[in-house]
Amino acid sequence: MNWVETVWIGMCAASLALGAIHLFVWFKQKTGYAHLLFFALAVSATAFGAFELAMMRSLSPASYATALRWAHVPLALFVLSIVWFVYFHFGAGKLWLALAACGLRLAGLALNFVTGVNVNFREVSSMDPVTFWGGAVVSGPVGVANPWAIVPQMGNLLLVAFVVDAAVTLWRRGGADARRRAAVVGGSLVVCIAAVAGFAALITLGLVHGLTIVMPGVFIVVVAMGYELGWDMIMAAQLATQLRASEQRFRAVVEAVPSAILVVDEQGLITLANQQAEAMFGYPRAELIGQAMDRLIPERFQRPVADRPSPWMAGPQGEAVGTGPDLLARRKDGREFPVEAMLAPLQTGTGAFVLASVLDITERRRLEQATARQRDELAHLSRVAMLGELSGSLAHELNQPLTAILSNAQAAQRFMALSPPRIDKLPEILVDIVKADHRAGSVIQRLRAMLRKEEPTRQAVDLNALVEDSMRLLRSDLLGRHVRAQPDLEAGLPPVVGDRNQLQQVLLNLVLNACDAMDGQATDRRLTVRTRQSDQGRVEVSVSDHGPGIPEADLDRLFDPFVTTKAQGLGLGLTICRSIVQAHGGRLWATHHAPRGATLHCELPAGRVG
Amino acid sequence: MDAWAPRVYLVDDDPDVRKAIGRLLESAGLEVASFASAQQFLDGYDRSAPACLVLDLAMPGLNGLELQAALEREASPLPIIFLTGRGDIATSVQAMKHGAADFLTKPVDDAALLAAVHDALATSRSRHRAGQERADLAQRLAALTGRERQVLEGIAAGRLNKQIAAALGTSEKTIKFHRGNLMRKMGARVAADLVKLAERAGLGSTPAP
C-alpha cells in the first residue's frame, strides 16, 4: 500500500467518523435535520473516496470505467446533500438554482448509466500508470471523453452559482456569525468544487494528461461542513453554560431579595419559592414546591378556581394587588398576617407563570398604627390646649343660657307673687327655661366631646354645619377681639367622612390663627370662612383673614413644627392640623393674597360612611 | 309723682336672654321696649320721655360701649345699666367714667337688676324734671322787658329798691312798679321766691354793673 492509498483510506475513515458523530447527534435531537444531511454528505464522501481509491488501483480500463460509473452515485448524493444543507441550514440560496443544480446532477447520473462507459468517458482505452511524488504509482485512464459530460459539468456550474449566491446572501445578512459561515462554507465549497470540477473537465477533455483527483476536494468540503456544524454545537454548549450561569444569577437574586418570591403555574401550583417565602409562610421549600398557592391564603379570601379568569396572566405589566388593609396571608401554623403582593406574568417556552412577590407588612402596619395613635394623642393635647384659650368664649356660651334660665325663673316667681298671680305666664316661661337648659347642655356636651380622649371615629360630617357650630363657639371670642366673621357657605355641600372633633379642631385652629394674624391692626379685622365643592368630589373649607399676610417663603414652613410667630404657643397647631387633615386623605395649605391677607385651605375628599 | 309710665329699654343680641330679662322687668310692672341691636335702638327709641337703658356689652355691630358713646354725642340724659358676661375691669371702668348708672354681670339677680333699674329711672325722672323747670324758667325770663330784667338782677344781687333806683337813674316808685310786674310774670308769691328763681336762672352770681 502506498501513501496515496493510505491518505485516501484515512480521508474515508475520517468522513465516516464525522458522519457517525452527526448521525448520533441527529438521533439524540431528532430536530437537527442539518446533522442528518451532514451524515448523508459524509457517508457519500466516504463511498466516493472508496470508489476513487478503486479507480486508482484499477489495472484494466473496464474496471476503471465501472468504478467511475458507480462513483457517480455517491457523488450525486454528495451534491444533493450540499445543496439542501446550504438551503435549509443557512436559510439562504435560491430555490430554483438549487433545483436546477440537483436536476442536472441527477440527469448526469442517469446519462452516466446510459451513455458511454460512464458520463466522463465514451470509452477507456488503456490504463496509464502515473507516478506521484514520493514514488507512489496509481493508475490513470486513457480514453475518449463522453460528450454528455457537459451535463454534470453544467450542474457543477449551477452548484457553484447556488453556493456563491447563498454565501453572498449570508454575508449581506450582517452579523459576525453569518459572515463567518458565508466565508467558511461558501469559500471552501466554491474553491473545492471549482478546482476539482475544473481539473476534471480539463482531464476529461484531454487537455491535461493525468489523473482526476476529486476526493481531497470532497474531503475539504466535509471538513468545512463538519467544522460549521461543530461550531454550532460549541455555541450551543456555551449557551447552555451561560444559561446555567444566568439561572444561577437569577436564583441568587431571587434568594437575595427581601420579599418572598413565588412562581405559580397556570394550575395555581407553586413551582419556585425562595428562602424568604420559606421563612414568611413557615413551610420548608420542599413542601412549598408543588403545593397550591391557595394554601397560603386564608379560606375566606379564596375564590373558586372557576371565578379566576386571571386577566393578569395575559397582562403585559406587573400589577399590585391588595395594597389596602385587606390582603392577608396565612402561615403554616394558621397565623394570618398582612401582606402586600405584586403579581407579574411570566411567559416562557414551557407555559405561562405568575411571579408573585410578597412583602410581610406586619411591622409597617404596627408602625402606622403607632404613628396614628401618637398623632391622635397629640391632636387631643393640642385640642385641650386650644380649649384653654377658648375658655372665655365657652364660659360666655354657657353663661347666656344660664342668664336666661335665672331671669326666667325669677320672673316666674314674681308673676306668682302678684295678686292675683299671673299663672298664664308660666307655660311659656317653662318652655323657655327648658330650651335654655338644652342650650347649656349642648355647650357642655360639645366641650366634653372635645376634651374626651377617644379613638377617632368615622362619620359623615357636614362641613357647613361644622362651620356654623364653630362660629357659635367662637362668637364671644371674635366679639371680644373685634373680629367680624363672614361665613360664605355653599349650599348642598356633600359630606366628608371623618372624626368630627378633629375636623372641628382644625377649623377652630384656623379661625383663631386668622384672628391672631389681625391682632396688630386697629381696623378692618374681618375674616371669611368659605366652603366650596371643588372638582373631583372634593370639598374645601378655607379661612381668609385681612392681616398682613404670609411671606412667600414661609407659606410651607408654616406647617413645620415649632414655627410660631406668637409669644405663647408651641407652634404645633398647624403641624397637628396638617397631620389631621392628611390622615383624612386631605390637604392643608396656605396662600397669600396681595395686598393683604392670607388664606388657609383645607381640602377633604367627599364621601359617605360605608 | 309723675304721670309718665317708667319705661325700660333693653338691648341684647341674644334672643333667649333678651326675652328672659324683658320678662323679668315686666314682672316688676315696668314697661319694656326690647331691641336686638344698638342700631335698631338708636333708630327707634323715644327721646322725649324719661327712661333707662339696660345694655348688653358684647354685641356684633355697635357694641355696648360704642352705643354709650353715641348717646353721649347726642347729649342724651338716658341712664345706662350695663350687663356683661365677663366682668372685665378695664371695660367697666371705661363705662363708669362715661357715666354708666350701673355695671352688672350675667347671670344677674332680679333684686340687683330691679334696684339698679329703679335707681336709674329715678335719676332719669329727676333729670327730666330739672330739665323741664329750667325750660320753664327760661321761658319766663324771656317774657321780661329789659328794665324788668335789670331790676331782677338788682334784686338777685340783694340790693334795696333805693339802691337799684339810683343805679338805674329812676325813682324808687318806678322800681316798686317793676317789682310787682316781675312777681307776677315769674310766678313768685314773696320776694324771697324771686331771689331763688333769679339765682336758679344764674342771674345773681355776677354783681350788677
Side-chain angles (χ1 to χ4, degrees):
Chain A
M1 215 160 51
N2 60 44
W3 67 265
V4 174
E5 290 169 353
T6 310
V7 166
W8 253 246
I9 288 167
M11 289 193 292
C12 289
S15 292
L16 194 61
L18 276 170
I21 289 170
H22 286 278
L23 177 68
F24 178 72
V25 171
W26 172 79
F27 190 72
K28 277 294 187 195
Q29 293 189 343
K30 295 290 189 205
T31 53
Y33 54 84
H35 294 284
L36 192 61
L37 280 172
F38 181 80
F39 168 70
L41 185 94
V43 167
S44 55
T46 306
F48 180 79
F51 281 118
E52 197 170 74
L53 186 59
M55 282 153 62
M56 286 193 287
R57 294 183 63 174
S58 300
L59 297 176
S60 67
S63 63
Y64 178 87
T66 308
L68 182 53
R69 178 170 265 173
W70 284 106
H72 273 285
V73 175
L75 191 62
L77 181 59
F78 180 77
V79 169
L80 261 58
S81 302
I82 290 176
V83 168
W84 298 114
F85 184 90
V86 168
Y87 187 76
F88 286 116
H89 187 57
F90 296 150
K94 292 191 170 65
L95 183 61
W96 68 268
L97 267 177
L99 289 173
C102 292
L104 282 179
R105 173 49 66 182
L106 290 172
L109 186 60
L111 290 167
N112 178 51
F113 285 101
V114 294
T115 63
V117 289
N118 53 49
V119 80
N120 298 89
F121 292 96
R122 189 178 293 164
E123 58 170 42
V124 179
S125 52
S126 64
M127 296 308 294
D128 184 16
V130 177
T131 306
F132 268 93
W133 174 80
V137 178
V138 295
S139 296
V142 177
V144 182
N146 187 344
W148 288 108
I150 192 73
V151 174
Q153 302 290 0
M154 290 307 292
N156 286 346
L157 212 59
L158 285 177
L159 177 62
V160 171
F162 169 74
V163 171
V164 166
D165 174 64
V168 168
T169 308
L170 257 179
W171 185 270
R172 287 221 183 110
R173 210 175 275 169
D177 190 47
R179 293 191 168 196
R180 179 189 52 73
R181 287 172 159 192
V184 169
V185 178
S188 67
L189 276 172
V190 169
V191 169
C192 293
I193 293 168
V196 170
F199 191 58
L202 289 178
I203 290 175
T204 310
L205 293 175
L207 297 177
V208 174
H209 177 76
L211 191 63
T212 311
I213 299 170
V214 178
M215 185 57 190
V218 167
F219 184 66
I220 287 172
V221 171
V222 169
V223 170
M225 294 292 205
Y227 169 78
E228 171 56 29
L229 270 185
W231 183 269
D232 276 2
M233 285 167 72
I234 290 165
M235 288 305 288
Q238 274 180 355
L239 221 58
T241 313
Q242 280 172 4
L243 206 63
R244 242 191 325 276
S246 147
E247 195 187 329
Q248 274 165 0
R249 269 201 302 278
F250 170 72
R251 292 242 170 221
V253 168
V254 163
E255 292 302 328
V257 290
S259 46
I261 300 275
L262 296 164
V263 174
V264 183
D265 66 13
E266 274 171 299
Q267 279 74 48
L269 301 178
I270 297 168
T271 59
L272 183 149
N274 66 354
Q275 63 188 25
Q276 280 74 19
E278 289 182 285
M280 190 181 292
F281 294 101
Y283 290 95
R285 199 174 306 205
E287 260 183 73
L288 275 177
I289 305 289
Q291 113 166 249
M293 179 75 170
D294 278 354
R295 296 239 333 248
L296 307 180
I297 300 168
E299 275 100 0
R300 60 186 186 284
F301 295 124
Q302 290 176 13
R303 285 175 296 167
V305 178
D307 286 3
R308 268 180 283 180
S310 321
W312 33 266
M313 273 252 180
Q317 297 265 296
E319 179 185 358
V321 289
T323 42
D326 46 341
L327 194 70
L328 291 176
R330 185 177 56 182
R331 282 174 59 83
K332 188 181 185 184
D333 58 19
R335 196 163 58 77
E336 292 176 4
F337 56 100
V339 293
E340 199 173 86
M342 183 94 185
L343 298 179
L346 285 181
Q347 293 290 350
T348 72
T350 50
F353 295 85
V354 173
L355 187 144
S357 157
V358 184
L359 214 54
D360 182 348
I361 53 170
T362 307
E363 182 63 9
R364 196 206 297 170
R365 278 282 138 77
R366 201 184 60 71
L367 281 175
E368 279 170 3
Q369 277 162 5
T371 309
R373 202 158 45 238
Q374 273 177 0
R375 183 189 58 234
D376 293 339
E377 270 176 27
L378 207 56
H380 175 252
L381 282 178
S382 150
R383 200 155 63 224
V384 170
M386 189 176 61
L387 286 178
E389 269 182 66
L390 285 177
S391 60
S393 236
L394 287 164
H396 181 263
E397 276 309 296
L398 206 51
N399 217 18
Q400 293 293 92
L402 288 181
T403 303
I405 290 169
L406 180 64
S407 294
N408 273 319
Q410 287 179 333
Q413 283 176 334
R414 284 178 175 274
F415 280 125
M416 293 305 288
L418 295 178
S419 57
R422 294 284 307 275
I423 293 179
D424 59 310
K425 290 279 186 188
L426 286 193
E428 60 179 56
I429 291 179
L430 289 175
V431 166
D432 285 353
I433 288 178
V434 170
K435 186 179 152 204
D437 205 295
H438 282 316
R439 183 176 158 189
S442 79
V443 172
I444 289 178
Q445 233 165 21
R446 210 156 43 214
L447 187 64
R448 208 164 44 194
M450 294 202 66
L451 282 173
R452 203 163 29 208
K453 187 174 162 188
E454 57 184 24
E455 292 282 297
T457 56
R458 280 173 60 79
Q459 64 202 65
V461 179
D462 174 2
L463 278 187
N464 283 347
L466 193 74
V467 169
E468 277 164 2
D469 189 60
S470 304
M471 297 322 281
R472 215 163 19 242
L473 207 64
L474 289 169
R475 180 184 162 279
S476 161
D477 211 67
L478 295 176
L479 282 175
R481 299 169 76 159
H482 304 280
V483 172
R484 198 149 51 88
Q486 299 164 308
D488 174 7
L489 308 179
E490 185 175 301
L493 216 57
V496 300
V497 174
D499 184 77
R500 192 181 188 284
N501 287 327
Q502 288 196 345
L503 292 178
Q504 179 158 49
Q505 172 180 2
V506 171
L507 193 58
L508 292 175
N509 222 311
L510 296 186
V511 173
L512 286 178
N513 278 346
C515 292
D516 290 345
M518 296 184 289
D519 264 351
Q521 63 202 58
T523 57
D524 202 25
R525 291 185 185 178
R526 59 199 161 90
L527 62 85
T528 308
V529 183
R530 187 176 289 122
T531 57
R532 284 284 177 276
Q533 187 173 357
S534 52
D535 36 336
Q536 283 131 27
R538 294 176 84 81
V539 186
E540 183 185 321
V541 52
S542 61
V543 179
S544 307
D545 63 49
H546 279 77
I550 303 165
E552 195 72 37
D554 289 348
L555 281 178
D556 208 53
R557 221 174 56 89
L558 216 59
F559 300 95
D560 293 346
F562 310 115
V563 172
T564 180
T565 51
K566 298 173 212 166
Q568 306 123 325
L570 275 174
L572 280 176
L574 279 178
T575 312
I576 291 166
C577 285
R578 185 174 253 188
S579 74
I580 289 175
V581 172
Q582 283 172 348
H584 282 79
R587 294 193 300 143
L588 181 65
W589 74 100
T591 53
H592 172 81
H593 25 95
R596 293 183 69 73
T599 300
L600 273 114
H601 309 260
C602 167
E603 193 191 59
L604 294 161
R608 294 181 187 281
V609 187
Chain B
M1 288 300 283
D2 302 85
W4 297 297
R7 172 175 285 185
V8 182
Y9 292 109
L10 175 59
V11 180
D12 195 317
D13 64 306
D14 188 316
D16 293 351
V17 173
R18 193 167 64 237
K19 198 166 166 193
I21 290 189
R23 194 177 267 148
L24 177 63
L25 294 170
E26 277 167 12
S27 73
L30 297 160
E31 188 196 325
V32 181
S34 297
F35 297 90
S37 77
Q39 198 54 53
Q40 280 178 25
F41 168 75
L42 281 176
D43 294 344
Y45 90 102
D46 177 6
R47 286 165 173 75
S48 67
C52 77
L53 172 59
V54 176
L55 177 58
D56 184 34
L57 196 62
M59 286 186 297
L62 275 186
N63 66 23
L65 289 179
E66 285 160 348
L67 176 56
Q68 185 185 30
L71 290 174
E72 209 174 351
R73 276 196 297 279
E74 55 179 69
S76 162
L78 206 59
I80 302 175
I81 298 161
F82 278 103
L83 280 184
T84 174
R86 23 180 153 182
D88 165 7
I89 292 177
T91 320
S92 55
V93 166
Q94 196 195 339
M96 296 311 273
K97 263 188 183 168
H98 288 82
D102 221 326
F103 200 91
L104 303 173
T105 52
K106 290 183 198 171
V108 62
D109 195 64
D110 58 346
L113 178 64
L114 291 174
V117 167
H118 283 303
D119 280 357
L121 285 176
T123 306
S124 178
R125 267 195 298 268
S126 65
R127 278 184 192 165
H128 212 78
R129 199 160 45 231
Q132 277 198 326
E133 279 171 6
R134 235 184 346 262
D136 192 40
L137 189 61
Q139 205 180 356
R140 288 183 216 170
L141 281 175
L144 300 181
T145 65
R147 186 58 83 175
E148 284 165 353
R149 200 177 163 88
Q150 284 173 324
V151 172
L152 185 59
E153 282 169 3
I155 292 167
R159 298 204 184 104
L160 300 173
N161 286 351
K162 199 177 356 181
Q163 289 172 309
I164 297 168
L168 296 177
T170 184
S171 70
E172 199 177 337
K173 195 174 174 184
T174 311
I175 299 301
K176 275 185 183 168
F177 169 74
H178 283 313
R179 204 171 164 136
N181 282 346
L182 272 174
M183 298 278 276
R184 186 174 40 80
K185 281 186 176 172
M186 296 297 285
R189 283 174 286 113
V190 293
D193 285 349
L194 206 56
V195 173
K196 236 187 276 173
L197 283 171
E199 276 174 357
R200 204 176 289 164
L203 292 174
S205 51
T206 49

